[in-house]
Amino acid sequence: MVTIKQISEKLRLSPATVSRALNGYPEVSAKTRILVEETARNLNYRPNQLAKKLATGRSGMIGLVLPPSNDKGFDPTFFDVMTGLSRRLTELDLDLVFHAPVFGDDIEPFRRLVGKQAVDGFIVTNPRLSDARIDFLLEEDIPFVVHGRNASEQPGFAYFDIDNFRVGYDATKLLLDLGHRKICFLNGPDDVHFSFERKRGFEKALADHGSDAASGAVRHGRMSESYGYREALAALSLPPAQRPTAFVSSSTIIAAGILRAVRDKGLRVPDDVSIVSHDDAPPQLDAMGFDPALTVTYSPLRDACGPLADILQGLLNGENLDKLQITEEAELIVRQSTGPSPSVDQSKGQTA
Amino acid sequence: MVTIKQISEKLRLSPATVSRALNGYPEVSAKTRILVEETARNLNYRPNQLAKKLATGRSGMIGLVLPPSNDKGFDPTFFDVMTGLSRRLTELDLDLVFHAPVFGDDIEPFRRLVGKQAVDGFIVTNPRLSDARIDFLLEEDIPFVVHGRNASEQPGFAYFDIDNFRVGYDATKLLLDLGHRKICFLNGPDDVHFSFERKRGFEKALADHGSDAASGAVRHGRMSESYGYREALAALSLPPAQRPTAFVSSSTIIAAGILRAVRDKGLRVPDDVSIVSHDDAPPQLDAMGFDPALTVTYSPLRDACGPLADILQGLLNGENLDKLQITEEAELIVRQSTGPSPSVDQSKGQTA
DNA sequence: CGGACTTTTCAAATCGTTTTGGAAATGGTG
DNA sequence: CACCATTTCCAAAACGATTTGAAAAGTCCG
């Protein structure tokens, strides 16, 4: 193992100078820098990370803990995010240390990692409206960034989130503008922030529209095909006066269930029923591949990985918090699963 | 941050003694040990991992790299294994550092982690018959354990594997004993060791049986429901003389496809067609929950996590390699998806 | 009591970096 | 040439543990 000392001896320089030259400090002349860099390369010098970490007090490790299990089975999106994070963090010369909590104790891995001083910070995914992990990290004053948010109005932590209010609002407004008056919203679980915000957006759009004829129903549930199928089937089985002509869905997997229910009812999309879904572009489900292609609010999960990593690094470098709280807009992409409300078509025919 | 030095000063002891007392070395009297332990606890002393690592030269980190992507989509079983590994490694006071390779370069993450001296060893999953990662780690002489094996007869590395020859043999023998003579084996990819071994077992069972009337066909493919469906449908569409009366499957997900194909053909399990599958107990698919319950060779993936972690630790502690190469037997569990061959039933009737 | 062990403790070196506080070298100016 | 301000470099002190070699203390026995 070749060390800084060996380089310094070979060059008759002090270790300090070598260290400086290698780390790009300004107080070293150009020629000695080149000389040092060259011999370092020749000797195939690799700085000992542990020594570096001990000296700088930074471990260069980021903690990522498997979020509390949602009943059974893991969230596949988590792993999508994890791989994206790993890629970006690698570019920043940070490493990801992964832990899975034992069932029942969500913050034990955090406590462990903090106690061991093994990581410089954490990335928290799948936050709840009220989240023990966030509370713990705030309490301990450990740097962390959240993918999403919790319930607090003015979060005292760094986060990256999409504008879920707008997601709910835009989807709903699109449908209202198309003449739909009975809209059913199959939302996510009721204990997460994005569901809460989307619901707010949904209700605001209805309220803004003014027409008291417009009405909506919101359902909450675990994002799954069967949930979408079950709830959509129930809604479509209502008497015609109450039956929705359009669905808003919080995920493409739910939308797949809705689509199946519509088909089973012998109805067509978008002629009889419109669907607009949020689409975070999971690897296994392509909204464009739906038949008909799905109208969506589009915001790929993997696009969050880069920003999350960058935010955390900013945090570690002591940047100001207000630059590290980022909310991005989702993009409304109108495809073939939305069309004018059938009832409106009739009224149009009548008024024309 | 409370250090060993502070404890030593408070107790008027030397840091060496404190270190020894805390780490359970014998050359320290019982009373001072108790004393040290007590004050350490009172002061809420937590050893600085980085310092410890620098002094001992061991990082306490284990590298786990996402295996080369199988076309698109990630292998969900990998994450199952990863969480299991994390749990066991945590008990051994080791941490898992995760990396995702950028597409196309499978060993770059290994090279990086090795170069940085960031990990003490690796766990390699989803090995191929010929695997660049294994070659690299052998070359660099880095400790690692493989989940499965590569093509070499006498691997020069630690591994944990199941007896895949027996998996193929036992499943096939069961069907032969039930009178089946035309057996179709829907195996995994052809470039992995377990497929190779199971195929050997399959062929050996046929050969051992002797009856030249018995014949088998082996297919290779990516483990998926659609692969099972497609191949089973093709096989069942053959003229009766060549049509298999039984399937061997390399995974429950394939078996699900076979089952669907059988149904689509208007046939019944096990009356018309028998199925025996290998079952590594993925979280999302329960072989017992099949209708009919699946006859399987049973060996849960997650049961491999503990041994893998233990083997790696043994390796790091310099244990002998031959104790670190473990092959376990899978358990044959006969349930409702296997029954006597329909043609045999006829012959029985004739001979009786 | 004194020598020979054994047990217990300690001071100091080590791990491989970074960082601090000066000192030496350099260069420009009057 | 003396003087001062920059550059450029260095010796030594961290960082917080482990480990080595030796000294001090305790124990035993003749």
Side-chain angles (χ1 to χ4, degrees):
Chain A
M1 217 72 284
V2 36
T3 76
I4 262 194
K5 205 169 168 190
Q6 292 175 26
I7 298 183
S8 73
E9 278 166 5
K10 176 157 188 166
L11 259 43
R12 305 185 160 281
L13 287 172
S14 83
T17 311
V18 176
S19 172
R20 298 216 141 99
L22 256 25
N23 293 5
Y25 281 67
E27 58 269 77
V28 53
S29 72
K31 59 185 147 197
T32 57
R33 157 160 301 140
I34 293 174
L35 191 64
V36 168
E37 281 172 345
E38 213 161 62
T39 55
R41 206 173 311 118
N42 289 343
L43 267 47
N44 191 28
Y45 166 75
R46 307 223 165 264
N48 182 316
Q49 296 295 311
L50 292 173
K52 182 177 213 157
K53 288 168 181 176
L54 177 59
T56 59
R58 278 171 54 161
S59 74
M61 308 248 129
I62 303 300
L64 182 66
V65 179
L66 188 70
S69 58
N70 316 314
D71 298 11
K72 69 169 74 174
F74 300 127
D75 185 357
T77 65
F78 172 77
F79 298 110
D80 198 23
V81 170
M82 181 166 74
T83 63
L85 278 175
S86 161
R87 297 227 167 82
R88 180 71 188 130
L89 287 173
T90 297
E91 293 171 12
L92 303 177
D93 200 33
L94 295 170
D95 290 304
L96 207 52
V97 12
F98 169 82
H99 268 249
V102 292
F103 185 77
D105 193 349
D106 300 340
I107 65 173
E108 186 273 345
F110 290 89
R111 187 168 281 126
R112 251 180 57 82
L113 253 18
V114 168
K116 284 177 67 175
Q117 304 162 94
V119 299
D120 296 333
F122 287 92
I123 293 171
V124 176
T125 68
N126 304 47
R128 309 286 187 88
L129 277 177
S130 162
D131 199 297
R133 301 168 295 168
I134 294 177
D135 297 343
F136 171 75
L137 292 172
L138 280 175
E139 174 84 15
E140 296 279 325
D141 199 26
I142 309 287
F144 67 102
V145 56
V146 179
H147 184 203
R149 298 169 53 180
N150 66 3
S152 49
E153 278 293 325
Q154 293 281 337
F157 52 81
Y159 63 81
F160 181 87
D161 200 5
I162 61 171
D163 188 342
N164 282 300
F165 177 84
R166 280 284 299 275
V167 164
Y169 190 93
D170 289 355
T172 311
K173 177 149 194 316
L174 174 70
L175 293 171
L176 288 169
D177 288 349
L178 283 167
H180 295 275
R181 291 298 171 265
K182 299 246 175 292
I183 305 176
C184 178
F185 182 12
L186 299 191
N187 203 350
D190 63 358
D191 61 348
V192 299
H193 185 255
F194 77 76
S195 291
F196 181 79
E197 283 295 296
R198 288 179 194 173
K199 181 181 176 196
R200 266 189 54 224
F202 178 74
E203 285 163 350
K204 184 67 163 37
L206 283 172
D208 280 2
H209 191 262
S211 162
D212 47 6
S215 72
V218 182
R219 300 269 178 282
H220 288 283
R222 245 176 15 94
M223 320 262 242
S224 69
E225 206 267 354
S226 63
Y227 158 69
Y229 179 75
R230 185 170 10 96
E231 292 293 339
L233 207 59
L236 292 173
S237 302
L238 292 171
Q242 300 161 45
R243 185 192 304 155
T245 61
F247 287 90
V248 176
S249 151
S250 255
S251 82
T252 48
I253 185 78
I254 295 175
I258 298 174
L259 199 55
R260 183 157 66 93
V262 173
R263 295 260 157 78
D264 278 11
K265 274 288 175 181
L267 300 170
R268 289 161 311 164
V269 175
D271 310 72
D272 303 308
V273 175
S274 284
I275 304 176
V276 40
S277 176
H278 183 67
D279 177 23
D280 50 24
Q284 63 277 39
L285 214 56
D286 177 22
M288 294 245 293
F290 275 60
D291 179 27
L294 223 48
T295 293
V296 296
T297 47
Y298 182 71
S299 176
L301 269 186
R302 54 184 155 277
D303 287 2
C305 299
L308 279 170
D310 294 340
I311 288 171
L312 186 53
Q313 207 200 25
L315 203 59
L316 295 178
N317 292 339
E319 278 179 28
N320 217 333
L321 195 60
D322 56 8
K323 286 184 179 171
L324 305 173
Q325 301 183 319
I326 300 182
T327 306
E328 270 207 353
E329 297 299 330
E331 180 188 5
L332 182 67
I333 302 180
V334 179
R335 298 204 185 95
Q336 276 76 55
S337 71
T338 43
S341 164
S343 51
V344 154
D345 260 8
Q346 288 171 13
S347 66
K348 254 188 191 166
Q350 287 168 1
T351 38
Chain B
M1 218 71 284
V2 35
T3 76
I4 258 192
K5 206 169 166 189
Q6 292 175 27
I7 298 183
S8 73
E9 277 165 6
K10 178 157 188 168
L11 259 44
R12 305 182 160 283
L13 287 172
S14 81
T17 311
V18 176
S19 172
R20 298 217 139 99
L22 256 24
N23 293 4
Y25 280 66
E27 59 267 78
V28 52
S29 70
K31 61 184 146 200
T32 57
R33 158 158 301 140
I34 293 174
L35 191 64
V36 169
E37 280 172 347
E38 211 161 64
T39 55
R41 204 173 310 118
N42 289 344
L43 265 48
N44 191 30
Y45 165 76
R46 305 220 166 267
N48 181 317
Q49 297 295 311
L50 293 173
K52 183 177 215 158
K53 288 169 182 175
L54 178 60
T56 58
R58 281 173 52 164
S59 74
M61 309 245 124
I62 304 300
L64 182 66
V65 179
L66 189 69
S69 58
N70 317 314
D71 299 10
K72 68 170 76 172
F74 300 127
D75 184 358
T77 65
F78 172 77
F79 298 110
D80 198 23
V81 171
M82 182 166 74
T83 62
L85 278 175
S86 161
R87 296 223 167 86
R88 180 70 187 132
L89 287 173
T90 297
E91 293 171 11
L92 303 176
D93 200 31
L94 294 170
D95 290 303
L96 207 52
V97 14
F98 169 83
H99 267 249
V102 293
F103 185 76
D105 194 350
D106 300 340
I107 66 173
E108 186 272 345
F110 292 90
R111 189 169 279 126
R112 252 180 56 82
L113 253 18
V114 168
K116 286 175 68 175
Q117 306 162 92
V119 300
D120 296 333
F122 287 92
I123 292 171
V124 175
T125 68
N126 303 49
R128 307 285 185 89
L129 277 177
S130 162
D131 199 298
R133 301 167 296 167
I134 293 177
D135 297 341
F136 171 77
L137 292 173
L138 280 175
E139 174 85 16
E140 296 279 325
D141 200 26
I142 309 287
F144 68 101
V145 56
V146 179
H147 184 203
R149 298 170 52 180
N150 67 2
S152 49
E153 278 294 324
Q154 293 281 336
F157 50 82
Y159 63 81
F160 180 89
D161 199 4
I162 61 170
D163 188 343
N164 282 300
F165 176 83
R166 280 286 299 273
V167 164
Y169 190 91
D170 289 355
T172 311
K173 178 150 196 312
L174 174 70
L175 293 171
L176 287 168
D177 288 349
L178 283 168
H180 295 274
R181 290 297 172 267
K182 300 246 173 291
I183 305 176
C184 178
F185 182 13
L186 299 190
N187 203 350
D190 64 358
D191 63 346
V192 299
H193 185 257
F194 77 77
S195 292
F196 181 78
E197 284 294 297
R198 289 179 194 172
K199 183 182 175 198
R200 266 188 55 224
F202 177 75
E203 286 165 350
K204 185 65 165 36
L206 284 172
D208 281 1
H209 189 260
S211 161
D212 48 5
S215 72
V218 182
R219 300 268 178 281
H220 289 282
R222 259 190 345 107
M223 320 262 242
S224 69
E225 204 268 354
S226 63
Y227 159 67
Y229 179 75
R230 184 168 13 93
E231 293 293 340
L233 207 58
L236 292 173
S237 302
L238 292 171
Q242 299 161 46
R243 184 194 304 154
T245 61
F247 286 91
V248 176
S249 152
S250 255
S251 81
T252 49
I253 184 79
I254 294 176
I258 298 174
L259 200 55
R260 183 158 66 93
V262 173
R263 294 261 156 76
D264 279 12
K265 275 288 176 181
L267 299 171
R268 289 161 310 164
V269 174
D271 310 72
D272 304 308
V273 175
S274 285
I275 303 176
V276 40
S277 176
H278 184 66
D279 176 24
D280 51 22
Q284 65 276 42
L285 214 54
D286 177 21
M288 294 247 291
F290 275 59
D291 180 28
L294 222 47
T295 293
V296 296
T297 48
Y298 181 72
S299 175
L301 270 186
R302 54 184 154 279
D303 287 1
C305 299
L308 280 170
D310 294 339
I311 289 171
L312 186 53
Q313 208 200 25
L315 202 59
L316 296 178
N317 291 340
E319 278 178 28
N320 217 334
L321 194 61
D322 56 8
K323 286 185 179 168
L324 305 173
Q325 301 183 320
I326 299 181
T327 306
E328 269 204 357
E329 297 300 329
E331 180 189 5
L332 180 66
I333 303 180
V334 179
R335 298 203 187 94
Q336 278 77 54
S337 72
T338 43
S341 163
S343 50
V344 155
D345 260 8
Q346 287 170 14
S347 67
K348 253 189 190 164
Q350 287 168 358
T351 39

